[in-house]
């Protein structure tokens, strides 16, 4: 027998003393009590209801779980005091597991469990028992309930909900800092013994961590655990029941603990002095190089801010912090010059941006280093004395006059000669030129301010020894005004004077313009070139003048247009003047002075009409005349077109197609084969598509007998189509199969005329009426094709 089995038997002996005598006896209810119950019982219909006596009482049965014996486990015994032992009573069991898990001997009342029972599945079973007379099957005892409670044994070990836990704790934490709590559960009965009492212990992870036995809280056990030395720890926790005593069951779990970072390390530069180089031609903002201070911390605890705190290059360089790489980038702050200074020294500081006050005692969280920057020489392009040049010159200077000089030098220590040139893209007209040696800018063509007031040039300076090194500078040339333009009329004036005008009447207000632009503004004077008996000019002294009449009685039939020369002068030096001529038409006006009509000459040839306008008018007239001549020639040629073009083209029928009618519907409307007699056309109807001319009624001769039904058929169809508004215009009736023999001109066939050699005379065609006028014009008269 093992120690474990011995303890189980000992506990059973202590806690289950009644298992040694599992028989449950039923005792009678005392007689006086039955009488009292009978007296207090209810009555029904005058009858006294007697309560049946109870002869047994029930107690609770106890059954040990996980029975391992080969026989059925004995539970207990039911017995009634009515049982005489003669087998007359029968015991019946019902309820949870009755008949399957629990069986009863119906004669003796012994109850057995048929299989091993697990308390963790079901802690108790409720059953009902009854004793009946075997012969009468009447109950001798009332049915009552009883409970079979399953006693727990320690058959379940503690279990953790997770096999592996993950936790973290800040580095440098004080001893006893809580890390995480783990909890194990035991399926045994916590109210019975120590089967479910769990005690925690640490199997792995000492001396760094500890665990509280009762709660399972894991705490730090060593001070100043440094993440930089060790970051990951694995702790194994055991949970044991029976209060941790020997023989208890246990379970384990693993806890992975990570030390999180705190800012307990200052940044440190790996070198005390750093050397960098940069070209003197580097523009502002160019990165010279980088410096970096290392920090054993991570994340925001390792973030560093760089700054220049001292040195002789604080005004020439600057430093910025690159957040991604935690580097300090040194950049050019001002233009560098190798010839001025070749070495700069900077003192750079790196400091943590997030400092933890708990670790101030570890020292200042900053560090410094010395950065020396050497300037390297490059071949620099020429440098102009100015960033741009402005020259002013009058427009009347002579060609070749120098207007200004640009200056440039080579900034290198080994100075090189400079050659100047003009960018011809900025001087396409080649108005200016420059001396390549001294940079003197002079004119090569006359200047005109009225054409261009500003000239924007670009001068190029290049080293003779290294022509690739060039520099450009902008040169602005302003052309100053000189009074070299005479004033003129501002617009073209169409002036007229009424025939009934009175002396001193205003007929026109004139003004002038000048291309020049004097500093004091424009000032014009107006006068007549000579004394004029008809008109005069009055200066308004505001750059305008009025044209007034000096007489009355103008007559457009005598003089239709007056030409008035007006002299316009400016007020600048030298004075410029010009003469403009006003063309004044004489017109007929009403009493209010409104023009009604002017002379024809004035309308056809107005004053000031340009030569180009006259040429355009003449060209239009010539084109119109050519079109009229061509149209008349084409029309005449169309009239002379002969009917028969050759002698060999002999036809029996003459058909004219220049008379538009019903088209193909003219031949489809009738059966041409049946129309053999032209006498069928009895009524003459007018055409609908042309205007009737002079009606000519031809002479008719007696017609030959005709087939009546054909004539009636034609007349009926003609009437139908005349009354039909939707029918096409059947204007004429033409037969192409039969020439007819009733024409007053007899036969027109040329078959017979071919036998004679003489020319035919067609003068008689004019006597046949208007219908033969076309043939008479083509073949009549004295002219023939031969003559032509």
């Amino acid at each position: 027998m093992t120690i474990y089995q011995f303890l189980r038997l000992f506990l059973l002996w202590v806690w289950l003393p009644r298992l040694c005598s599992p028989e449950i006896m039923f005792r009678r209810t005392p007689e006086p009590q039955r009488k009292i119950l009978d007296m207090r019982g209810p009555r029904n219909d005058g009858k006294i209801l007697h309560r049946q006596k109870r002869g047994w009482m029930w107690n609770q049965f106890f059954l040990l779980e996980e029975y391992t014996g080969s026989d059925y486990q004995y539970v207990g015994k039911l017995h009634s005091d009515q049982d005489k032992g003669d087998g007359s009573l029968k015991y019946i069991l019902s309820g949870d597991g009755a008949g399957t898990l629990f069986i009863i001997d119906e004669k003796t009342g012994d109850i057995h469990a048929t299989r091993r029972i697990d308390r963790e599945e079901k802690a108790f079973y409720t059953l009902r028992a009854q004793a009946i007379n075997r012969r009468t099957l009447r109950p001798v005892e009332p049915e009552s309930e009883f409970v079979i409670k399953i006693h727990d044994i320690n058959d379940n070990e503690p279990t953790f909900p997770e096999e592996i836990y993950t936790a973290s704790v800040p580095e440098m934490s004080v001893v006893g800092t809580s890390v995480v709590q783990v909890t194990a559960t035991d399926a045994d009965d916590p109210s019975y013994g120590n089967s479910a009492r769990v005690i925690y212990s640490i199997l792995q992870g000492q001396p760094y961590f500890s665990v509280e036995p009762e709660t399972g809280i894991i705490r730090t056990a060593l001070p100043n655990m440094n993440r930089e030395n060790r970051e990951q720890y694995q702790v194994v926790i055991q949970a044991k029941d029976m209060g941790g005593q020997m023989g208890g069951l246990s379970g384990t779990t693993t806890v992975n603990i990570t030390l999180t970072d705190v800012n307990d390390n200052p940044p440190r530069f790996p070198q005390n002095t750093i050397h960098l180089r940069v070209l003197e031609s580097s523009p502002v903002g160019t990165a010279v190089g980088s410096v970096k201070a290392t920090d054993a911390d991570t994340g925001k605890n390792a973030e560093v801010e760089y700054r220049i705190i001292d040195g002789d290059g604080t005004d020439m360089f600057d430093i910025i912090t690159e957040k991604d790489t935690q580097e300090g980038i040194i950049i050019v702050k001002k233009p560098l010059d190798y010839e001025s200074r070749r070495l700069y020294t900077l003192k750079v500081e790196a400091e943590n941006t997030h400092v933890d006050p708990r670790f101030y005692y570890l020292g200042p969280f900053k560090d410094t280093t010395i950065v020396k920057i050497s300037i390297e020489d490059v071949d620099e392009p020429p440098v102009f004395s100015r960033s741009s040049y402005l020259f002013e010159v009058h427009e009347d200077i002579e060609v070749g006059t120098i207007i200004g000089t640009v200056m440039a030098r080579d900034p290198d220590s080994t100075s090189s000669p400079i050659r100047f040139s003009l960018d011809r893209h900025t001087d396409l007209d080649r108005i200016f030129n420059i001396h390549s040696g001294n940079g003197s800018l002079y004119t090569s063509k006359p200047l005109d301010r009225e054409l261009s007031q500003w000239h924007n040039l670009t001068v190029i300076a290049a080293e003779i020894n290294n022509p690739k090194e060039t520099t450009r500078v902008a040169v602005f040339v302003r052309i100053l005004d000189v009074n070299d333009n005479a004033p003129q009329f501002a617009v073209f004036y169409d002036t007229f004077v009424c025939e009934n005008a009175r002396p001193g009447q205003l007929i026109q207000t004139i003004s002038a313009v000048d291309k020049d632009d004097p500093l004091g503004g424009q000032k014009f004077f107006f006068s007549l070139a000579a004394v004029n008996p008809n008109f005069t000019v009055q200066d308004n002294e505001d750059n305008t003048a009025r044209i007034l009449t000096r007489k009355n009685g103008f007559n457009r039939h005598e003089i239709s247009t007056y030409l008035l020369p007006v002299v316009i002068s400016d007020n600048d030096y030298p004075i410029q003047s010009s003469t403009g001529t006003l063309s004044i038409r004489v017109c007929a006006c009403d009493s209010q002075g409104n023009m009604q009509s002017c002379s024809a000459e004035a309308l056809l040839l107005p004053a000031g009409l340009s030569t180009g306008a006259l040429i355009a008018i003449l060209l239009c007239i010539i084109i119109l005349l050519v079109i009229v001549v061509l149209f008349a020639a084409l029309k005449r040629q169309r009239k002379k077109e002969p009917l028969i073009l050759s002698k060999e083209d002999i036809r029996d029928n003459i058909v004219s197609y220049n008379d538009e009618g019903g088209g193909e519907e003219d031949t489809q409307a009738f059966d041409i084969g049946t129309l053999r007699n032209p006498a069928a056309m009895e009524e003459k109807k007018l055409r609908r598509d042309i205007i009737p001319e002079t009606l000519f009624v031809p002479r008719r001769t007696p017609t030959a007998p005709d087939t009546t039904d054909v004539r009636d058929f034609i007349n009926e169809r003609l009437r139908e189509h005349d009354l039909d508004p939707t029918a096409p215009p059947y204007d004429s009736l033409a037969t192409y199969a039969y020439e007819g023999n009733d024409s007053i001109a007899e036969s027109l066939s040329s078959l017979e005329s071919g036998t004679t050699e003489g020319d035919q005379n067609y003068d008689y065609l004019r006597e046949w009426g208007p219908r033969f006028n076309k043939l008479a014009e083509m073949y009549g008269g004295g002219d023939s094709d031969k003559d032509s």
Side-chain angles (χ1 to χ4, degrees), residues 113-128:
T114 60
R115 60 179 175 85
R116 185 172 60 182
I117 298 176
D118 188 1
R119 189 202 67 83
E120 284 70 40
E121 293 182 0
K122 194 173 179 66
F124 63 89
Y125 296 85
T126 302
L127 294 98
R128 293 181 298 277

Side-chain angles (χ1 to χ4, degrees), residues 17 43 56 90 102 121 146 213 254 268 319 325 357 387 506 574 602 616 650 758 773 788:
R43 298 176 179 272
W56 56 3
K90 180 181 180 180
F102 302 103
E121 293 182 0
F146 67 96
T254 301
R268 291 289 181 263
I319 189 169
T325 62
S387 59
L506 175 66
I650 301 174
N773 288 340
S788 62

Side-chain angles (χ1 to χ4, degrees), residues 469-485:
E469 294 296 334
T470 61
T471 304
R472 294 169 175 265
V473 69
V475 178
F476 305 101
V477 180
R478 180 183 180 184
I479 310 302
L480 301 178
D481 185 41
V482 174
N483 191 24
D484 57 349
N485 291 278

Side-chain angles (χ1 to χ4, degrees), residues 274-331:
I274 300 173
H275 294 273
L276 299 175
R277 294 179 179 274
V278 62
L279 297 175
E280 65 170 333
S281 60
S282 300
V284 174
T286 302
V288 178
S290 63
V291 296
K292 184 174 184 180
T294 59
D295 194 326
D297 298 321
T298 60
K300 69 176 184 179
N301 295 321
E303 291 182 1
V304 178
E305 187 72 25
Y306 297 91
R307 66 179 64 91
I308 299 175
I309 60 175
D310 198 4
D312 55 11
T314 56
D315 58 339
M316 302 299 295
F317 299 94
D318 199 359
I319 189 169
I320 59 175
T321 303
E322 180 64 38
K323 297 298 183 181
D324 295 335
T325 62
Q326 288 299 306
E327 292 180 334
I329 309 299
I330 299 176
I331 60 174

Side-chain angles (χ1 to χ4, degrees), residues 667-724:
T667 59
Q668 293 177 359
F670 307 101
D671 185 3
I672 302 302
T674 59
L675 305 179
R676 298 296 183 184
N677 193 348
M681 185 173 56
E682 296 179 356
E683 298 179 4
K684 180 65 177 180
K685 295 185 180 294
L686 299 179
R687 295 186 59 170
R688 305 178 188 177
D689 59 336
I690 60 174
I691 300 176
E693 298 178 356
T694 304
L695 296 179
F696 173 75
V697 182
R699 293 178 300 170
R700 299 183 56 86
T701 57
T703 60
D706 189 22
T707 304
T708 305
D709 54 348
V710 174
R711 183 172 61 252
D712 295 338
F713 167 75
I714 295 173
N715 292 333
E716 182 179 357
R717 294 299 300 273
L718 289 174
R719 283 192 298 272
E720 289 177 2
H721 286 77
D722 290 337
L723 297 176
D724 187 6

